[in-house]
Amino acid sequence: MQVFDSDGVEIAYLDEGAGDAALLIHGFASTARINWVDTGWVRLLAADGRRVVALDNRGHGRSGKLYTSDAYALRLMVDDARRLLDHLGIASADVMGYSMGARIATLLALACPHRVRSCVIAGAGANMLKPMAGTDAIAAALEAQSLEAVTDPTARTFRAFADQTNADCRALAACIRAIREPISPEQLARIACPVLVAVGTHDAIAGPADALAACIPGAEALEITGRDHMKAVGDKVYKQGVLAFHARRA
């Protein structure tokens, strides 16, 4: 991976393939490699004739680690994504974000509509309309002495994932404590680019895809049958749905 400076924070990214640019933004506690390379997304989109760019969000992977929650305001993470496009000289891209990355992608489409040709909001459904729940438990789990000390089942899942990927748990705890305000229907109604909302039908973290898509003019909803928040990421229905979405708007 390469790195660039985003207003004093080192951001790592990959840049593969050639053609129209696709910017991929991973979810909380993940990385570009885990979310997009290991699941086959980078290979798939590059084979579809795209230049695939994916960053490690601040606090994640090989990017800079910060330890105060205000350093993880979503507007700053949106700025990281925009600055990466600037750094690479990419005027506009088809953007796809998963979970936390979907919030970043959505706010990027609102803040910089001329930079986002289309937007895939994945792993984030109706619950994007609400304040994030359970963040204190997840932060406490990340700061616990060990996984064995964590009893909350959802928080335990995040801590186990962080341990598995050798993540910086202190940086992730600061990130999850950052205020995540809901994105209102009024905001979503201003999104002008084509949008696909893709969510697993068993994804309790995200909530239903159709309820979110209904707030965005012309948006499509894709249900990833039988998949939860973790298992939807590399699902073939999700991949085929995104390829078909891109083909319809080409």
Side-chain angles (χ1 to χ4, degrees):
M1 296 183 77
Q2 304 174 66
V3 297
F4 82 104
D5 181 274
S6 179
D7 194 30
V9 179
E10 189 172 82
I11 298 295
Y13 68 94
L14 60 84
D15 182 4
E16 297 186 16
D20 289 340
L23 173 64
L24 311 182
I25 308 174
H26 67 76
F28 174 72
S30 191
T31 66
R33 179 183 62 79
I34 294 167
N35 213 140
W36 307 119
V37 177
D38 293 351
T39 55
W41 273 106
V42 172
R43 182 174 63 253
L44 177 75
L45 293 172
D48 194 45
R50 295 183 175 277
R51 178 184 181 183
V52 186
V53 176
L55 74 160
D56 281 349
N57 288 314
R58 54 175 59 201
H60 297 72
R62 298 185 185 180
S63 287
K65 308 300 188 295
L66 305 111
Y67 300 104
T68 59
S69 60
D70 58 357
Y72 294 97
L74 279 179
R75 62 178 177 78
L76 299 177
M77 301 177 87
V78 169
D79 285 343
D80 291 338
R82 176 187 56 77
R83 290 190 187 105
L84 177 56
L85 295 179
D86 292 344
H87 174 72
L88 296 174
I90 296 172
S92 64
D94 294 302
V95 179
M96 177 163 62
Y98 197 87
S99 193
M100 179 184 73
R103 288 177 179 261
I104 296 169
T106 300
L107 292 175
L108 180 63
L110 285 166
C112 307
H114 59 292
R115 309 300 295 271
V116 181
R117 284 195 304 261
S118 70
C119 189
V120 177
I121 300 170
N127 290 343
M128 189 185 284
L129 300 166
K130 308 172 186 176
M132 283 184 66
T135 55
D136 287 342
I138 295 170
L142 290 164
E143 292 171 335
Q145 289 295 320
S146 67
L147 176 63
E148 288 68 31
V150 182
T151 56
D152 181 280
T154 300
R156 186 179 174 87
T157 298
F158 280 99
R159 174 56 187 265
F161 185 62
D163 286 351
Q164 178 187 345
T165 59
N166 296 313
D168 185 325
C169 287
R170 191 158 67 95
L172 293 182
C175 180
I176 200 67
R177 282 198 172 101
I179 295 172
R180 299 287 183 249
E181 297 290 347
I183 299 177
S184 71
E186 292 74 20
Q187 288 174 288
L188 294 169
R190 299 203 304 269
I191 297 177
C193 67
V195 172
L196 176 70
V197 181
V199 178
T201 56
H202 294 173
D203 189 342
I205 292 174
D210 56 357
L212 183 65
C215 298
I216 304 170
E220 305 174 39
L222 173 66
E223 293 187 340
I224 309 169
T225 305
R227 296 299 193 182
D228 63 16
H229 196 69
M230 300 298 183
K231 293 182 179 178
V233 181
D235 187 86
K236 65 180 181 180
V237 171
Y238 173 24
K239 290 177 179 175
Q240 291 167 355
V242 169
L243 291 181
F245 171 68
H246 285 161
R248 286 193 294 276
R249 58 158 302 276

